[in-house]
Amino acid sequence: MAKVLLAGESWVSATIDHKGYDPFPHTQVQIGCARLLDVLREGGHEVTHMRSHDVAEFFPLTREELDEYDVVLLSDVGANTLLLPPQVFDHGRPTPNRLHLLRDWVRDGGGLMMAGGYLSFQGFGAKANYAGTAVEQILPVDIHRWDDRVESPQGVTGTLTGVEHPVVAGLERSWPILLGYQQLVAKEDATVLAEVDGDPLLAVRSVGEGRTLAFASDVSPHWAPTEFMDWAGYGLLFSQAMSWLAGETEKED
């Protein structure tokens, strides 16, 4: 069982409904990872979900806080949110660089996964902005410095590369459709476990004493449609990913 910190995968929607002469503003917090949280917990993992709007303030700032977890999963939360805690943005005070903290923590034995999305890797309009950072240094992939999305409304299929690995054990070769992904470049020492249209979809890497994993598509809509999220392999894939990242299975990469 892994202790997992899932940071991101939520958003606040602000809407104004116009009813004749009268506008009606309202806001709502949306949680994109409800299904993922369920399957990870069903797999025996202990998962803490830190919503995107809480990450800047509450994501670990010290090694001691990070050491409470085996795995950190970053999903759809950009580099700025990690780099600009209130101490810096509001008060102009120095704080530890959390991207450096994650890099060093992984090298000493931690596990890091990044899942795709509009604010993952480089992201929509390059706003996620992980290219050139300490997090990119440890990921299994290199990140373009431009908008890296490949929108695929027609549906594209992930396919295993045939490499045997604990993360993909028991999964069928061809996966249900996805509606988009990030175009990434596998590092030379990475192991690509699945591809989509010739690009890496799932890649892993050993970094010092730790491990990293990149999943180039989303864990929730819109890129992850019902076909993918209702697939029996959805829970198996991500539960096995957490176990491997936590060091509970052999590296084999």
Side-chain angles (χ1 to χ4, degrees):
M1 179 190 76
K3 292 189 67 175
V4 180
L5 174 60
L6 195 170
E9 203 54 54
S10 73
W11 58 97
V12 177
S13 297
T15 305
I16 299 176
D17 295 335
H18 292 267
K19 300 181 178 181
Y21 283 99
D22 301 304
F24 178 73
H26 55 97
T27 59
Q28 183 176 356
V29 176
Q30 308 277 357
I31 305 297
C33 58
R35 174 69 177 143
L36 180 63
L37 292 170
D38 285 343
V39 298
L40 291 182
R41 288 165 179 160
E42 288 166 7
H45 302 294
E46 181 182 334
V47 189
T48 299
H49 180 210
M50 185 175 292
R51 299 178 183 186
S52 298
H53 59 274
D54 287 327
V55 170
E57 184 172 1
F58 297 114
F59 190 89
L61 272 170
T62 67
R63 180 62 176 271
E64 291 72 26
E65 291 173 308
L66 262 186
D67 282 342
E68 303 234 346
Y69 304 97
D70 303 307
V71 179
V72 171
L73 198 172
L74 299 177
S75 184
D76 225 348
V77 61
N80 280 329
T81 303
L82 290 162
L83 289 169
L84 298 172
Q87 296 94 315
V88 174
F89 194 78
D90 296 332
H91 305 297
R93 301 303 306 149
T95 65
N97 184 318
R98 291 189 281 206
L99 303 187
H100 293 179
L101 183 66
L102 278 169
R103 177 194 60 198
D104 298 342
W105 176 74
V106 167
R107 287 174 173 170
D108 289 341
L112 175 68
M113 171 178 167
M114 183 175 287
Y118 274 25
L119 282 168
S120 295
F121 300 107
Q122 200 65 354
F124 185 96
K127 291 179 183 293
N129 205 28
Y130 283 100
T133 69
V135 164
E136 185 192 29
Q137 292 173 16
I138 57 173
L139 285 174
V141 292
D142 291 325
I143 303 170
H144 296 305
R145 289 181 177 267
W146 52 82
D147 189 321
D148 54 7
R149 292 170 302 133
V150 180
E151 297 287 356
S152 307
Q154 76 282 7
V156 289
T157 302
T159 306
L160 291 179
T161 60
V163 176
E164 292 187 6
H165 195 278
V167 171
V168 294
L171 295 177
E172 57 223 64
R173 181 175 182 275
S174 184
W175 296 359
I177 61 167
L178 296 162
L179 301 181
Y181 63 96
Q182 248 109 8
Q183 187 180 62
L184 305 166
V185 179
K187 286 186 166 75
E188 288 186 2
D189 61 344
T191 300
V192 178
L193 303 179
E195 295 181 335
V196 56
D197 279 358
D199 293 318
L201 174 60
L202 178 67
V204 295
R205 185 183 182 211
S206 294
V207 184
E209 298 300 315
R211 305 174 178 190
T212 61
L213 182 150
F215 180 65
S217 192
D218 211 333
V219 296
S220 67
H222 72 278
W223 282 351
T226 302
E227 290 88 341
F228 186 75
M229 295 182 69
D230 285 349
W231 172 45
Y234 177 87
L236 185 62
L237 168 62
F238 294 118
S239 183
Q240 290 179 167
M242 295 303 105
S243 295
W244 181 79
L245 288 166
E248 296 174 3
T249 53
E250 293 299 319
K251 285 191 175 183
E252 294 189 23
D253 63 358

